[in-house]
Amino acid sequence: MKDFIKNAGVIFWLNAAACLLSFIGMILLAVSNGIRGYAITGGGTAVALAVIGFILAAVATFGTFKFGSQHFTTAIARVVSIVLIAVAFGILLSDRVGLASSLFTWDSHNEVGWNAFNLSIGSAVLMLISIIVMIVCAFMNNKKKVNSASMA
């Protein structure tokens, strides 16, 4: 286990963190969609896209460890995961804008609405951070540098 932790590298752990963040964001999205009276328009599609995006983020994390960060299968899984999570983020955002406008103007005492809004904000933030971390990992290279002093 120590060897795995040591050999995995920073990019693997960043990908694993992005995968975990997308998973938690997916769960919050599903819970927010399930609040009675405040279901997200197209919420089933958003949850399905978030689930597929999470699975592809896990595939990209595994691919980073097995094949490297710049391997084409890892890159394809990462890009498709980013796109799917971003579309789920967009669906969530497009629906909750109306809720936010009513909560911040005339319906400020609606506790169920605030609960749905807060869960949506948490989901959106986690999915956005996940997307940013995966984009950063896409530009990192996990090639090991050989120390020239150790070769002598």
Side-chain angles (χ1 to χ4, degrees), residues 7-131:
N7 294 333
V10 174
I11 299 174
F12 171 80
W13 293 112
L14 285 174
N15 275 321
C19 185
L20 180 66
L21 290 173
S22 70
F23 180 70
I24 296 170
M26 173 189 67
I27 290 173
L28 290 177
L29 174 67
V31 171
S32 176
N33 188 42
I35 293 177
R36 180 173 288 188
Y38 291 96
I40 298 168
T41 304
T45 303
V47 171
L49 292 174
V51 167
I52 297 168
F54 161 70
I55 291 169
L56 288 174
V59 168
T61 303
F62 174 74
T64 299
F65 180 73
K66 188 76 172 169
F67 305 116
S69 178
Q70 301 300 322
H71 195 265
F72 73 93
T73 57
T74 304
I76 290 171
R78 184 181 295 126
V79 168
V80 174
S81 173
I82 289 170
V83 168
L84 293 176
I85 293 172
V87 171
F89 172 79
I91 292 170
L92 172 68
L93 208 62
S94 70
D95 184 72
R96 292 306 188 206
V97 167
L99 177 62
S101 69
S102 69
L103 288 174
F104 286 111
T105 55
W106 58 273
D107 197 17
S108 62
H109 296 292
N110 184 350
E111 291 182 24
V112 178
W114 278 110
N115 188 21
F117 179 72
N118 289 334
L119 284 170
S120 299
I121 292 298
S123 174
V125 167
L126 290 174
M127 287 193 288
L128 189 62
I129 292 171
S130 171
I131 290 169

